[in-house]
Amino acid sequence: MDTTAIIGTKNKKGQVITDPRVMMNDAPRTPSFFTGSEVIKEAVKRANVDIMVAYPITPQSEAAALCGELFAEGYIGDYFRGESEFAVMSQCAGSAFGGARVFTTTAGPGTMRAMENFPMWAGSRLPIQCIVTCRGINSPLSIQPDTIEIAYLMNTGMLVWHAETAQDFYDWILKGYMVSEEPDVHLPLALCCDGFFVTHTKDVVGLTPAEMCLPPYDPYRSPVPCMDMECPPVRMMRDPFVMKSNYISYATHASWQQEVWAAAERSRKHTIAWLDGLIDVEDGDADILIISSGTAVSQGREAMRLLADEGVRVGLVKIKTLRPWPEEELREATKHASHIIVPEFNVIGWMAKEIKATIPNSERVVGGPRVCGGMTLPPEVIVEEVKKAIGMRSGVLAGRGG
Amino acid sequence: MSLDYVKFAPGFDTFMPKEYRDMVEQGPFGKKTTVSQMGSFKEILEEHPMCAGCAMTLFIRLAIVAFPNPEDTITVGTAGCGRLAISQAAIPFVYGNYGDQNGVASGLSRGLRIRFGDQPKDVVVMAGDGGTADIGFQQVLHSWFRRERFTTIMLDNEVYGNTGGQESGMTTRGAVLKMAPLGKKFEKMDMVSMAKIAGCAYIATVVPNNPRRVESCIKKAVLIAREVGPTYIQAYTSCNIEYAIPTDKVMEDAKTVEDDRYKFTEYVSEDAKAYLADRYGYKEFIQKPAAALTKV
């Protein structure tokens, strides 16, 4: 299918199929006051989604339900509820094998329950988009924000992006399809946000016109034979891949895994163009840097302001994509920094570990502050960590031994 | 839809191996073939790594020959012996994760309908008893409750054959197997009744030693699944290795089991009967005129 030939035509709902760059960069934006869940609905409305599979789990249930309204209104080709997250992701896989643009959402324990599917999606080169509204997954039970599940997603072969705001979320859902459906990428995307902080709070988001939509997915641009019965006999799985004691099968499987990761690497150029870089840097010349992703960036930004009031200059690096990981960008951004503070909403500090593994002189990296289990991350906690790192007396948090 | 995909690409004609050439020139694509012709045409499934005397392999061969439109069919499977053969057939095969074949098939069936509209694209799940009644049970049942339009075939060898002979939910009570050292403690799961309760429009139990019956069941199941609703076939496909059935006694065992506890049963919903009669001319389901019914 020649994508350019359908620009300007209408889809089944009557939306005008628009050049994605025109839609995302040039089209007028209407400021709208929405929750993050409503923003997901608004983005999907314009994404020309063929199939959405839903299953409830807090805090993504509302977004999944709102997408059902879109189906009722005719914006989505098919919509149904699966019987578990594992089933949902399997149904998404089948839908994508069938050549559909597929969307789904999950959170926390659901992400873990579905986990077997994510490497399969990547290995099968299915450009499914899954919204992950992060929450606690460990026991004792918490439904509050916690990004520990991202640590598991990062090694599935999927693209992993981490939105800070509802505006990021809106834009990246649409841009995500453009990147993940590129023939040299063709990988699933886990688009993460911090549950509740983004999904259940209202924000002003600039929305593109509802009468515009993305071009439909073209399965014939897939790098693996699509299931159309029109090309030579296709086997998505043959026994040599799994039969034991067969060096060739191991080599085949191993080389394919490398190809999946190479595809993620090839997404860099597309992602840089769409997201205007894999990271954003504010006051990058500062000696002290706060680096994070998601809403921890917002807290870091506020900590910057508080520290500036006290005469401490701090820079900020916002990491937008975790896969591909912005290695070169981080090395460049941190080359002058003496202290690197990494606030995170999880107990294990996966981001600090990734940064330490990326940059030289990693003793500069302060793995923290970290909050987990759904706790909030007050900017004062970040301020305290910065002061501690530079040996400055801290009186910010009364009762905490300033 | 065309049959171009089984033809040679221009320029490669002279380089095609004989097996491929035979399949293109003498295979069943685009033709009406029956099991009675087996051996006279190039089958879609030829080589496979199954054990000698495997009843499952015979059943899979019969099933594939019976597909109404092999060129319009995609099979879906999961871990198990059957997958080793099905994946060798010259039709697309999807292998997702352990036990998720009916979830994948649900999405696949819907995706193909969106993409191809009303053109029939048949999705057929073939998975073992472990994949269907145990690990995949939830997804199997829910696909039926949702009335997903594809066929589910259970290759019931009453054991986990591929992993070396462990008890499954479909093992008969009392059977001593690995992981059932004192004999299985509960009855074989009644998947047929569950299929009926869950709304399958066509259900059959078969054994592989009656090829024409297998063919008839598969054809009906696939045709009904196109428009009416989910269909289910449960086939006794013994594991001669784990149950120590001598190779030359496999068919004899199937006959004995059929006579004993695996009798042929067939359920066709009223909607499915009407559909087969109206759309495909199945005479046995054509409604008799009321006058003829009352005339004795």
Side-chain angles (χ1 to χ4, degrees), chain B residues 78-130:
Chain B
T78 191
C81 296
R83 177 261 308 161
L84 297 172
I86 302 163
S87 62
Q88 299 297 315
I91 52 177
F93 170 72
V94 181
Y95 179 100
N97 304 293
Y98 295 114
D100 75 348
Q101 68 281 349
N102 279 53
V104 171
S106 299
L108 181 60
S109 173
R110 289 167 183 256
L112 292 171
R113 282 174 211 282
I114 282 186
R115 188 149 138 238
F116 293 101
D118 295 332
Q119 297 175 58
K121 303 292 175 192
D122 300 324
V123 174
V124 179
V125 164
M126 273 198 272
D129 44 310

Side-chain angles (χ1 to χ4, degrees), chain A residues 83 90 98 117 229 238-239, chain B residues 5 88 97 100 115 146:
Chain A
E83 56 273 27
S90 303
N117 263 292
M229 300 92 159
R238 290 196 66 177
D239 67 319
Chain B
Y5 84 98
Q88 299 297 315
N97 304 293
D100 75 348
R115 188 149 138 238
R146 284 196 307 268

Side-chain angles (χ1 to χ4, degrees), chain B residues 51-56 156-159 236-257 261:
Chain B
C51 305
C54 175
M56 186 184 289
D156 181 15
N157 58 10
E158 304 183 324
V159 71
Y236 175 70
T237 56
S238 65
C239 178
N240 52 317
I241 303 299
E242 297 303 336
Y243 281 97
I245 304 166
T247 305
D248 61 346
K249 302 287 184 194
V250 166
M251 287 298 107
E252 198 176 310
D253 165 74
K255 182 74 181 101
T256 305
V257 171
R261 59 186 170 80

Side-chain angles (χ1 to χ4, degrees), chain A residues 1-202:
Chain A
M1 181 175 65
D2 179 3
T3 308
T4 56
I6 56 169
I7 300 297
T9 62
K10 292 187 176 178
N11 66 4
K12 282 183 185 170
K13 182 59 185 169
Q15 293 170 294
V16 178
I17 296 169
T18 307
D19 182 323
R21 297 197 183 278
V22 171
M23 180 169 150
M24 300 309 298
N25 300 332
D26 305 331
R29 298 266 184 160
T30 305
S32 309
F33 194 49
F34 279 140
T35 66
S37 299
E38 290 168 332
V39 164
I40 293 173
K41 177 187 177 184
E42 291 302 317
V44 172
K45 189 179 196 175
R46 294 152 174 86
N48 226 337
V49 168
D50 294 309
I51 294 179
M52 197 251 170
V53 195
Y55 189 73
I57 185 165
T58 303
Q60 68 85 43
S61 310
E62 186 180 351
L66 288 170
C67 288
E69 292 179 9
L70 286 179
F71 169 63
E73 293 164 11
Y75 287 98
I76 298 177
D78 202 350
Y79 172 94
F80 62 112
R81 178 192 57 79
E83 56 273 27
S84 73
E85 287 87 355
F86 175 56
V88 164
M89 303 312 164
S90 303
Q91 288 147 7
C92 286
S95 303
F97 276 126
R101 178 174 287 161
V102 184
F103 181 80
T104 193
T105 50
T106 190
T111 310
M112 301 309 287
R113 180 162 292 196
M115 191 58 75
E116 189 182 353
N117 263 292
F118 299 136
M120 190 276 276
W121 285 4
S124 302
R125 307 293 290 274
L126 303 173
I128 298 161
Q129 186 167 146
C130 180
I131 296 292
V132 182
T133 60
C134 297
R135 61 167 270 195
I137 55 174
N138 48 343
S139 183
L141 183 66
S142 169
I143 62 165
Q144 297 300 321
D146 187 317
T147 61
I148 198 168
E149 64 200 288
I150 293 178
Y152 299 92
L153 285 168
M154 289 203 297
N155 295 316
T156 58
M158 296 174 80
L159 305 178
V160 183
W161 298 358
H162 194 183
E164 179 193 355
T165 63
Q167 185 69 62
D168 282 350
F169 224 30
Y170 176 78
D171 290 340
W172 295 1
I173 288 171
L174 295 160
K175 292 175 178 180
Y177 278 118
M178 295 300 97
V179 173
S180 66
E181 290 174 5
E182 285 286 352
D184 59 345
V185 180
H186 227 82
L187 287 175
L189 168 65
L191 177 48
C192 307
C193 79
D194 303 337
F196 293 107
F197 295 153
V198 177
T199 56
H200 286 58
T201 55
K202 282 200 164 188

